[in-house]
Amino acid sequence: RPARATGGTAIDAYDDVAAGAAVDVHGLLDVYGLYNLDEPASKRNRLRAVDVYDEPARLGYLRLTLAHRPAPIGFRVDAGLGDTAKYFERQDPADAKHPDIARATSYVEQGFVTAMIPTERAVEVDLGRYSTPMGLEDNEAWSNWSYSRGLLYTWAEPTQHTGLRVSCALTDAIAASLFRVNGWNATVVNGNAMRTGAAAVSWRATEELTLALVDMFGPEHAPTDDDAPLTFRNLLDAFATYAPARRLSFAVSVDYGVDRANGGVSWRGVAAFARVVETSWLATSLRG
């Protein structure tokens, strides 16, 4: 299955990388077509993150992965172009004043080196750019239950981070991660000098039920003004997935965030999911 760097801990960052290969190379092609019944004159869809264009054929993402499983040193680079990369560019706080830098860095979805510390329970240390631990939905469509992303992904959560990540499977059922990053969605420019921290834990309570909790906190730029001084921001995310039958799954995700900017702002949201797998190649999902 595809690796998921979001949704709590990140101990599966090399799940889709061949073991023993000097360099594993693989690609992803994501193409979509979309028709909006409102037929907007702008040909753009509101309330969408990535699939924002009302056109019969769009390049969602063309991505190349180069990776080596850590043994004990490894690396991973996911680079691509398309509407997903354009979304990364729009999310970058550097886009307002340094559009060329934001455009260039948007082509790198992830790029990090890894060192495995050989303890009884191996500790994975990653340094570089990687997907956020926040939220149930991932940056890539193919690892999500739905092709589009929900409003929590689009409005309530960060997308990427640059910094340090330490992950460990504490038991066969519990895994945890700690993060120290350069703010929300920033690579180098317009970050907060590595002053954001985060902690994540996931628990596979039973074969059917998995729970995750993530808290991210630190000084950030005001949501509506990159020139404003840094203010403290905190986002708490929790989700659960439940699969009562082999072909049936449910999930719920909750976000609550606060920011001291502009006299104090807050946001909150809940998303619910249901998924039925009809065959090995077809599944139907609902999201609210």
Side-chain angles (χ1 to χ4, degrees), residues 41-282:
S42 65
K43 292 296 183 179
R44 293 174 65 90
N45 305 297
R46 301 178 65 187
L47 311 180
R48 298 281 183 150
V50 176
D51 50 334
V52 298
Y53 297 96
D54 183 31
E55 296 181 6
R58 292 286 305 187
L59 177 62
Y61 207 28
L62 176 61
R63 191 201 72 183
L64 178 68
T65 296
L66 304 175
H68 173 72
R69 277 182 177 266
I73 304 297
F75 70 90
R76 179 175 187 129
V77 177
D78 298 296
L81 50 84
D83 290 345
T84 300
K86 291 180 180 179
Y87 179 67
F88 297 154
E89 179 184 10
R90 295 193 301 270
Q91 291 290 93
D92 191 338
D95 187 40
K97 293 186 176 180
H98 307 279
D100 293 340
I101 295 177
R103 174 74 279 188
T105 57
S106 71
Y107 295 119
V108 180
E109 178 188 16
Q110 296 192 117
F112 55 86
V113 295
T114 301
M116 298 294 292
I117 301 176
T119 58
E120 181 178 356
R121 289 278 182 175
V123 176
E124 181 177 311
V125 181
D126 304 311
L127 179 63
R129 182 178 174 93
Y130 42 78
S131 298
T132 185
M134 307 302 301
L136 175 66
E137 292 185 296
D138 205 359
N139 288 336
E140 294 172 0
W142 77 322
S143 57
N144 292 323
W145 287 10
S146 300
Y147 184 86
S148 64
R149 317 308 195 278
L151 295 183
L152 296 189
Y153 175 93
T154 307
W155 283 349
E157 302 163 355
T159 304
Q160 297 168 307
H161 305 287
T162 300
L164 184 69
R165 176 174 66 190
V166 180
S167 308
C168 181
L170 303 178
T171 70
D172 292 340
I174 300 175
S177 298
L178 296 174
F179 301 79
R180 185 176 178 87
V181 300
N182 190 28
W184 284 33
N185 304 317
T187 304
V188 178
V189 180
N190 280 22
N192 65 0
M194 296 287 287
R195 285 185 280 182
T196 288
V201 61
S202 63
W203 175 36
R204 189 173 181 86
T206 67
E207 286 295 320
E208 298 81 18
L209 178 64
T210 298
L211 307 171
L213 180 66
V214 188
D215 188 25
M216 179 164 281
F217 46 86
E220 298 287 343
H221 293 285
T224 57
D225 188 354
D226 289 340
D227 292 327
L230 295 174
T231 59
F232 189 82
R233 183 184 301 175
N234 188 85
L235 176 61
L236 183 66
D237 168 78
F239 79 80
T241 60
Y242 178 60
R246 186 168 63 91
R247 296 182 181 274
L248 178 64
S249 302
F250 300 96
V252 62
S253 182
V254 180
D255 280 343
Y256 177 72
V258 294
D259 194 313
R260 294 178 182 172
N262 303 326
V265 296
S266 65
W267 63 99
R268 62 194 65 83
V270 179
F273 306 77
R275 186 172 189 254
V276 177
V277 179
E278 289 87 359
T279 71
S280 60
W281 54 271
L282 178 65

